[in-house]
Amino acid sequence: MNKQILLSGGAGFIASHTAVALLEAGYDVIVVDNYVNSCAESIARVEKITGKSVKLYELDVADRAALSKVFAANSIDCVIHFAGLKAVGESVQLPIRYYRNNLDTTLTLLEVMAEFNVKNIVFSSSATVYGNNAHVPFVETMPRGCCSNPYGWTKVMIEQILEDATVADKELSVVLLRYFNPIGAHKSGMIGEDPQGIPNNLMPFVTQVAVGKREKLTVFGGDYDTPDGTCQRDYIHVMDLAEGHVKAVDFALQNKGTEIFNLGTGIPYSVLDIVNTFSRVNGLELKYEIGPRRAGDLPRLWADASKAEKILGWKAKCNLEDMCRDSWNWQKNNPNGYKK
Protein backbone atom coordinates (compact mmCIF):
# COMPACT_ATOMS: atom_id res chain seq x y z
CA MET A 1 0.00 0.00 0.00
CA ASN A 2 1.22 3.51 -0.82
CA LYS A 3 2.10 5.90 1.98
CA GLN A 4 -0.84 8.11 2.94
CA ILE A 5 -0.26 11.85 3.18
CA LEU A 6 -2.89 14.06 4.80
CA LEU A 7 -3.09 17.67 3.60
CA SER A 8 -4.79 20.03 6.06
CA GLY A 9 -6.26 22.91 4.10
CA GLY A 10 -5.53 20.74 1.09
CA ALA A 11 -7.82 22.43 -1.45
CA GLY A 12 -5.91 25.73 -1.51
CA PHE A 13 -3.52 27.12 -4.13
CA ILE A 14 -0.21 25.62 -3.02
CA ALA A 15 -1.83 22.54 -1.49
CA SER A 16 -3.72 21.52 -4.65
CA HIS A 17 -0.52 21.70 -6.71
CA THR A 18 1.26 19.72 -4.00
CA ALA A 19 -1.48 17.09 -4.23
CA VAL A 20 -0.69 16.68 -7.93
CA ALA A 21 3.03 16.29 -7.23
CA LEU A 22 2.42 13.78 -4.41
CA LEU A 23 0.05 11.65 -6.49
CA GLU A 24 2.50 11.64 -9.39
CA ALA A 25 5.26 10.59 -6.97
CA GLY A 26 3.21 7.55 -5.90
CA TYR A 27 1.74 8.77 -2.63
CA ASP A 28 -1.94 8.53 -1.67
CA VAL A 29 -3.50 11.87 -0.75
CA ILE A 30 -6.15 12.69 1.85
CA VAL A 31 -7.48 16.26 1.96
CA VAL A 32 -9.31 17.98 4.82
CA ASP A 33 -10.59 21.52 4.23
CA ASN A 34 -13.48 23.74 5.32
CA TYR A 35 -13.27 25.82 2.09
CA VAL A 36 -12.87 29.19 3.80
CA ASN A 37 -10.08 30.06 1.31
CA SER A 38 -10.72 27.37 -1.30
CA CYS A 39 -13.28 25.08 -2.95
CA ALA A 40 -13.71 21.39 -3.67
CA GLU A 41 -13.49 21.97 -7.43
CA SER A 42 -9.70 22.28 -7.18
CA ILE A 43 -9.47 18.70 -5.91
CA ALA A 44 -11.84 17.43 -8.61
CA ARG A 45 -9.44 18.94 -11.13
CA VAL A 46 -6.42 17.41 -9.36
CA GLU A 47 -8.06 14.04 -9.92
CA LYS A 48 -8.59 14.82 -13.62
CA ILE A 49 -4.97 15.92 -14.05
CA THR A 50 -3.51 12.84 -12.39
CA GLY A 51 -6.14 10.20 -13.14
CA LYS A 52 -6.00 9.29 -9.44
CA SER A 53 -8.51 9.67 -6.64
CA VAL A 54 -8.21 11.84 -3.54
CA LYS A 55 -10.04 11.21 -0.27
CA LEU A 56 -11.73 14.51 0.53
CA TYR A 57 -13.27 15.49 3.87
CA GLU A 58 -15.06 18.79 4.52
CA LEU A 59 -14.25 19.82 8.09
CA ASP A 60 -12.55 22.42 10.25
CA VAL A 61 -9.13 21.18 11.34
CA ALA A 62 -9.80 22.73 14.75
CA ASP A 63 -12.74 20.33 15.19
CA ARG A 64 -11.01 17.56 17.11
CA ALA A 65 -13.87 15.06 16.98
CA ALA A 66 -14.24 15.38 13.21
CA LEU A 67 -10.49 15.25 12.61
CA SER A 68 -10.13 12.18 14.84
CA LYS A 69 -12.63 10.32 12.64
CA VAL A 70 -10.44 10.99 9.60
CA PHE A 71 -7.35 9.64 11.37
CA ALA A 72 -9.31 6.62 12.62
CA ALA A 73 -10.52 5.79 9.10
CA ASN A 74 -7.09 6.01 7.47
CA SER A 75 -3.52 4.89 8.07
CA ILE A 76 -1.81 8.28 7.81
CA ASP A 77 1.97 8.32 7.49
CA CYS A 78 2.66 12.08 7.26
CA VAL A 79 0.76 15.36 7.50
CA ILE A 80 1.39 18.51 5.48
CA HIS A 81 -0.14 21.38 7.44
CA PHE A 82 -1.45 24.06 5.07
CA ALA A 83 -4.62 25.03 6.95
CA GLY A 84 -4.74 28.64 8.11
CA LEU A 85 -5.92 32.15 7.38
CA LYS A 86 -3.34 33.95 5.26
CA ALA A 87 -4.19 37.57 4.36
CA VAL A 88 -1.62 39.90 5.92
CA GLY A 89 -3.81 43.01 5.84
CA GLU A 90 -6.85 41.19 7.18
CA SER A 91 -4.77 39.78 10.03
CA VAL A 92 -4.06 43.34 11.21
CA GLN A 93 -7.80 44.07 11.22
CA LEU A 94 -8.83 40.72 12.74
CA PRO A 95 -5.92 39.62 14.94
CA ILE A 96 -7.95 37.53 17.39
CA ARG A 97 -9.52 35.56 14.55
CA TYR A 98 -6.09 34.84 13.08
CA TYR A 99 -4.50 33.77 16.35
CA ARG A 100 -7.51 31.63 17.28
CA ASN A 101 -7.77 29.92 13.90
CA ASN A 102 -4.12 29.37 13.02
CA LEU A 103 -2.97 28.29 16.47
CA ASP A 104 -6.05 26.19 17.27
CA THR A 105 -5.81 24.22 14.03
CA THR A 106 -2.15 23.47 14.71
CA LEU A 107 -2.64 22.43 18.33
CA THR A 108 -5.64 20.25 17.51
CA LEU A 109 -3.77 18.63 14.64
CA LEU A 110 -0.78 17.82 16.86
CA GLU A 111 -3.04 16.38 19.57
CA VAL A 112 -4.81 14.12 17.10
CA MET A 113 -1.51 13.07 15.52
CA ALA A 114 -0.28 12.07 18.98
CA GLU A 115 -3.49 10.16 19.67
CA PHE A 116 -3.02 8.10 16.49
CA ASN A 117 0.77 7.84 16.72
CA VAL A 118 1.47 9.82 13.54
CA LYS A 119 5.03 11.09 13.86
CA ASN A 120 5.73 13.09 10.69
CA ILE A 121 4.63 16.63 9.81
CA VAL A 122 5.65 19.18 7.18
CA PHE A 123 4.60 22.75 7.97
CA SER A 124 3.69 25.41 5.42
CA SER A 125 5.68 28.30 6.88
CA SER A 126 6.84 31.56 5.34
CA ALA A 127 9.78 33.87 4.82
CA THR A 128 7.71 36.25 6.96
CA VAL A 129 9.30 34.65 10.04
CA TYR A 130 12.62 36.38 9.28
CA GLY A 131 11.03 39.69 10.23
CA ASN A 132 11.78 43.14 8.86
CA ASN A 133 15.42 43.53 9.87
CA ALA A 134 17.07 40.45 8.36
CA HIS A 135 19.74 40.89 5.68
CA VAL A 136 19.36 39.34 2.23
CA PRO A 137 19.68 36.65 1.22
CA PHE A 138 17.74 34.97 4.02
CA VAL A 139 19.34 31.81 5.39
CA GLU A 140 17.79 29.25 7.71
CA THR A 141 20.30 29.91 10.49
CA MET A 142 19.00 33.47 10.96
CA PRO A 143 16.89 33.98 14.10
CA ARG A 144 13.19 34.44 13.71
CA GLY A 145 12.58 38.16 13.64
CA CYS A 146 10.05 40.73 14.74
CA CYS A 147 7.00 40.46 12.48
CA SER A 148 4.88 43.42 11.41
CA ASN A 149 1.52 41.62 11.38
CA PRO A 150 -0.44 38.90 13.23
CA TYR A 151 -0.31 36.51 10.25
CA GLY A 152 3.50 36.51 10.45
CA TRP A 153 3.43 36.06 14.19
CA THR A 154 1.23 32.96 13.84
CA LYS A 155 3.90 31.43 11.58
CA VAL A 156 6.60 32.25 14.16
CA MET A 157 4.53 30.80 16.99
CA ILE A 158 3.65 27.62 15.10
CA GLU A 159 7.30 27.03 14.20
CA GLN A 160 8.16 27.34 17.90
CA ILE A 161 5.33 24.99 18.91
CA LEU A 162 6.55 22.37 16.43
CA GLU A 163 10.18 22.69 17.53
CA ASP A 164 9.15 22.32 21.18
CA ALA A 165 7.11 19.23 20.27
CA THR A 166 10.18 17.52 18.79
CA VAL A 167 12.16 18.26 21.94
CA ALA A 168 9.50 16.50 24.01
CA ASP A 169 8.96 13.62 21.57
CA LYS A 170 12.18 12.25 20.09
CA GLU A 171 10.22 10.16 17.57
CA LEU A 172 8.61 13.22 15.98
CA SER A 173 9.85 14.51 12.62
CA VAL A 174 9.12 18.14 11.72
CA VAL A 175 10.08 19.89 8.48
CA LEU A 176 9.51 23.65 8.35
CA LEU A 177 9.27 24.95 4.79
CA ARG A 178 9.73 28.70 4.49
CA TYR A 179 8.15 29.84 1.22
CA PHE A 180 9.05 32.96 -0.62
CA ASN A 181 6.61 34.20 -3.35
CA PRO A 182 4.73 31.39 -5.12
CA ILE A 183 3.24 32.24 -8.52
CA GLY A 184 2.43 30.31 -11.69
CA ALA A 185 0.01 27.42 -12.11
CA HIS A 186 -0.08 23.84 -13.31
CA LYS A 187 0.87 23.66 -17.01
CA SER A 188 -2.57 22.21 -17.83
CA GLY A 189 -4.24 25.49 -16.84
CA MET A 190 -6.78 23.48 -14.83
CA ILE A 191 -5.68 24.57 -11.35
CA GLY A 192 -4.21 27.86 -10.18
CA GLU A 193 -4.50 30.74 -7.73
CA ASP A 194 -8.10 31.80 -7.12
CA PRO A 195 -8.10 34.58 -4.50
CA GLN A 196 -11.30 35.61 -2.77
CA GLY A 197 -12.16 39.26 -3.45
CA ILE A 198 -9.37 41.74 -4.26
CA PRO A 199 -6.06 39.86 -4.59
CA ASN A 200 -3.46 40.45 -1.88
CA ASN A 201 -0.56 39.27 -4.05
CA LEU A 202 1.00 40.72 -7.19
CA MET A 203 0.56 37.99 -9.81
CA PRO A 204 -3.18 37.34 -9.41
CA PHE A 205 -3.72 41.10 -9.59
CA VAL A 206 -1.65 41.20 -12.79
CA THR A 207 -3.63 38.36 -14.36
CA GLN A 208 -6.95 39.91 -13.34
CA VAL A 209 -5.93 43.18 -15.01
CA ALA A 210 -4.93 41.20 -18.11
CA VAL A 211 -8.27 39.36 -18.24
CA GLY A 212 -10.25 42.60 -17.72
CA LYS A 213 -11.47 42.07 -14.15
CA ARG A 214 -9.38 44.99 -12.83
CA GLU A 215 -8.81 48.32 -14.55
CA LYS A 216 -5.11 48.68 -13.77
CA LEU A 217 -2.30 47.62 -11.49
CA THR A 218 -0.96 50.03 -8.89
CA VAL A 219 2.75 49.49 -8.19
CA PHE A 220 3.42 50.46 -4.59
CA GLY A 221 6.52 52.63 -4.70
CA GLY A 222 8.90 53.46 -7.52
CA ASP A 223 11.70 55.06 -5.51
CA TYR A 224 13.26 52.13 -3.63
CA ASP A 225 16.99 51.48 -3.70
CA THR A 226 16.67 48.80 -6.37
CA PRO A 227 17.68 48.78 -10.08
CA ASP A 228 14.28 50.07 -11.29
CA GLY A 229 12.97 51.58 -8.04
CA THR A 230 10.37 48.87 -7.36
CA CYS A 231 10.51 46.17 -4.68
CA GLN A 232 12.36 42.94 -5.40
CA ARG A 233 11.07 39.53 -4.36
CA ASP A 234 12.00 35.88 -4.79
CA TYR A 235 9.24 34.48 -7.02
CA ILE A 236 8.99 30.70 -7.30
CA HIS A 237 6.83 28.57 -9.58
CA VAL A 238 4.14 26.80 -7.56
CA MET A 239 4.99 23.45 -9.17
CA ASP A 240 8.63 23.82 -8.08
CA LEU A 241 7.27 24.55 -4.61
CA ALA A 242 5.05 21.47 -4.83
CA GLU A 243 8.06 19.31 -5.69
CA GLY A 244 9.77 20.75 -2.62
CA HIS A 245 6.94 19.36 -0.50
CA VAL A 246 7.39 15.90 -1.99
CA LYS A 247 11.10 16.04 -1.10
CA ALA A 248 10.20 17.25 2.40
CA VAL A 249 7.82 14.33 2.92
CA ASP A 250 10.51 11.90 1.73
CA PHE A 251 12.89 13.49 4.25
CA ALA A 252 10.39 13.53 7.14
CA LEU A 253 9.64 9.83 6.72
CA GLN A 254 13.31 8.98 7.19
CA ASN A 255 14.48 11.45 9.85
CA LYS A 256 13.65 12.72 13.35
CA GLY A 257 13.78 16.16 14.96
CA THR A 258 13.26 19.54 13.32
CA GLU A 259 14.73 20.70 10.01
CA ILE A 260 14.16 24.05 8.28
CA PHE A 261 14.38 24.73 4.54
CA ASN A 262 13.95 27.85 2.43
CA LEU A 263 12.09 27.22 -0.82
CA GLY A 264 12.91 29.94 -3.32
CA THR A 265 14.95 30.51 -6.48
CA GLY A 266 17.54 32.80 -4.90
CA ILE A 267 16.91 35.28 -7.72
CA PRO A 268 15.34 38.67 -6.93
CA TYR A 269 12.83 40.00 -9.46
CA SER A 270 11.28 43.46 -9.22
CA VAL A 271 7.62 44.33 -9.64
CA LEU A 272 8.39 45.82 -13.04
CA ASP A 273 10.33 42.66 -13.99
CA ILE A 274 7.07 40.77 -13.42
CA VAL A 275 4.97 43.30 -15.34
CA ASN A 276 7.34 43.49 -18.31
CA THR A 277 8.00 39.76 -18.53
CA PHE A 278 4.30 38.95 -18.26
CA SER A 279 3.55 41.41 -21.09
CA ARG A 280 6.36 40.08 -23.30
CA VAL A 281 5.78 36.33 -23.01
CA ASN A 282 1.99 36.59 -23.31
CA GLY A 283 1.85 39.34 -25.94
CA LEU A 284 -0.26 41.62 -23.75
CA GLU A 285 -0.12 45.23 -22.67
CA LEU A 286 -0.69 45.75 -18.95
CA LYS A 287 -2.06 49.03 -17.68
CA TYR A 288 -0.24 50.10 -14.53
CA GLU A 289 0.71 53.18 -12.55
CA ILE A 290 3.34 53.90 -9.91
CA GLY A 291 1.71 54.74 -6.59
CA PRO A 292 3.01 55.62 -3.13
CA ARG A 293 4.90 53.11 -1.04
CA ARG A 294 2.89 50.62 1.01
CA ALA A 295 3.58 50.48 4.73
CA GLY A 296 5.61 47.45 5.79
CA ASP A 297 7.06 46.57 2.37
CA LEU A 298 10.75 45.71 2.33
CA PRO A 299 12.83 46.87 -0.66
CA ARG A 300 14.55 43.50 -1.21
CA LEU A 301 13.75 39.96 -0.10
CA TRP A 302 15.11 36.70 -1.45
CA ALA A 303 16.28 33.28 -0.34
CA ASP A 304 19.45 31.35 0.02
CA ALA A 305 18.01 27.96 -0.97
CA SER A 306 21.31 26.06 -1.04
CA LYS A 307 20.42 23.96 2.01
CA ALA A 308 17.38 22.48 0.27
CA GLU A 309 19.53 21.59 -2.72
CA LYS A 310 22.24 20.01 -0.57
CA ILE A 311 20.04 18.01 1.81
CA LEU A 312 16.76 17.45 -0.06
CA GLY A 313 18.20 17.34 -3.56
CA TRP A 314 15.68 20.03 -4.54
CA LYS A 315 16.23 23.06 -6.72
CA ALA A 316 13.78 25.34 -8.53
CA LYS A 317 13.71 24.58 -12.26
CA CYS A 318 11.25 27.09 -13.73
CA ASN A 319 12.22 30.60 -14.80
CA LEU A 320 10.24 33.83 -14.68
CA GLU A 321 8.96 33.32 -18.23
CA ASP A 322 7.48 29.95 -17.22
CA MET A 323 5.84 31.51 -14.16
CA CYS A 324 4.26 34.33 -16.18
CA ARG A 325 3.15 32.05 -19.03
CA ASP A 326 1.53 29.50 -16.72
CA SER A 327 -0.16 32.18 -14.59
CA TRP A 328 -1.84 33.61 -17.68
CA ASN A 329 -2.72 30.17 -19.05
CA TRP A 330 -4.68 29.51 -15.84
CA GLN A 331 -6.39 32.92 -15.74
CA LYS A 332 -7.38 33.11 -19.42
CA ASN A 333 -8.93 29.63 -19.24
CA ASN A 334 -10.60 30.40 -15.89
CA PRO A 335 -11.47 34.12 -15.93
CA ASN A 336 -13.64 33.68 -12.84
CA GLY A 337 -11.39 31.15 -11.11
CA TYR A 338 -13.15 27.92 -10.18
CA LYS A 339 -16.57 29.53 -10.55
CA LYS A 340 -18.33 28.65 -13.79
Side-chain angles (χ1 to χ4, degrees):
M1 189 173 100
N2 295 334
K3 298 282 188 183
Q4 293 191 339
I5 314 302
L6 182 139
L7 278 55
S8 73
F13 171 45
I14 299 168
S16 59
H17 289 77
T18 299
V20 170
L22 287 165
L23 290 166
E24 291 179 343
Y27 288 108
D28 289 336
V29 172
I30 302 162
V31 165
V32 295
D33 205 306
N34 63 1
Y35 309 130
V36 168
N37 292 320
S38 60
C39 66
E41 175 63 21
S42 66
I43 299 303
R45 296 191 185 189
V46 166
E47 293 180 321
K48 289 179 183 177
I49 290 168
T50 61
K52 298 181 179 181
S53 62
V54 174
K55 285 188 178 181
L56 180 59
Y57 298 88
E58 182 176 358
L59 60 88
D60 188 327
V61 180
D63 183 341
R64 181 165 180 169
L67 189 61
S68 292
K69 290 179 181 178
V70 175
F71 276 74
N74 297 280
S75 180
I76 295 165
D77 296 284
C78 183
V79 173
I80 307 181
H81 183 28
F82 291 103
L85 299 174
K86 61 181 183 178
V88 170
E90 184 183 61
S91 78
V92 176
Q93 301 300 318
L94 301 169
I96 305 305
R97 183 184 180 209
Y98 269 68
Y99 287 119
R100 171 66 73 186
N101 181 85
N102 293 5
L103 297 181
D104 275 5
T105 53
T106 303
L107 293 168
T108 301
L109 182 59
L110 286 170
E111 288 169 349
V112 174
M113 285 175 60
E115 179 184 350
F116 289 90
N117 200 37
V118 178
K119 297 295 187 180
N120 307 299
I121 181 169
V122 176
F123 175 52
S124 169
S125 192
S126 168
T128 307
V129 303
Y130 290 110
N132 293 337
N133 298 315
H135 297 289
V136 289
F138 294 174
V139 295
E140 294 89 346
T141 52
M142 288 178 171
R144 285 185 284 257
C146 184
C147 297
S148 59
N149 58 80
Y151 162 76
W153 277 118
T154 65
K155 293 296 188 183
V156 169
M157 292 174 182
I158 293 168
E159 283 200 5
Q160 188 64 55
I161 289 166
L162 290 166
E163 287 187 353
D164 290 345
T166 61
V167 171
D169 183 354
K170 301 303 182 186
E171 291 301 306
L172 194 62
S173 176
V174 168
V175 179
L176 307 177
L177 297 181
R178 293 175 177 170
Y179 309 160
F180 281 70
N181 292 68
I183 59 174
H186 189 268
K187 62 183 178 182
S188 66
M190 292 178 65
I191 57 174
E193 188 167 10
D194 184 21
Q196 309 296 310
I198 299 174
N200 291 298
N201 299 323
L202 174 62
M203 184 56 83
F205 209 107
V206 165
T207 60
Q208 288 189 12
V209 170
V211 84
K213 290 188 71 173
R214 309 282 168 193
E215 180 188 355
K216 61 186 175 184
L217 170 72
T218 297
V219 178
F220 296 112
D223 58 351
Y224 287 100
D225 183 20
T226 60
D228 63 20
T230 64
C231 291
Q232 293 179 311
R233 294 291 181 268
D234 188 335
Y235 294 94
I236 177 174
H237 198 294
V238 67
M239 286 309 302
D240 278 335
L241 191 61
E243 293 295 337
H245 287 76
V246 176
K247 295 289 190 181
V249 167
D250 295 342
F251 181 87
L253 291 171
Q254 299 178 45
N255 295 274
K256 304 299 178 189
T258 301
E259 204 65 69
I260 304 169
F261 298 101
N262 287 335
L263 294 184
T265 64
I267 303 171
Y269 295 109
S270 73
V271 176
L272 291 183
D273 286 335
I274 296 287
V275 170
N276 294 330
T277 303
F278 184 92
S279 297
R280 176 171 53 80
V281 301
N282 295 311
L284 297 165
E285 283 296 321
L286 274 180
K287 188 176 181 181
Y288 72 91
E289 63 180 10
I290 304 294
R293 292 187 181 191
R294 184 172 55 182
D297 278 346
L298 299 176
R300 294 173 298 280
L301 189 160
W302 68 89
D304 178 335
S306 58
K307 181 180 176 183
E309 182 176 7
K310 180 180 178 181
I311 296 177
L312 298 181
W314 173 89
K315 186 176 182 179
K317 300 173 184 175
C318 298
N319 60 29
L320 187 57
E321 286 79 5
D322 299 324
M323 301 180 214
C324 290
R325 188 179 299 110
D326 290 342
S327 294
W328 177 233
N329 187 41
W330 150 256
Q331 188 74 79
K332 72 180 180 183
N333 286 304
N334 303 272
N336 297 309
Y338 291 112
K339 301 179 185 69
K340 298 295 185 184

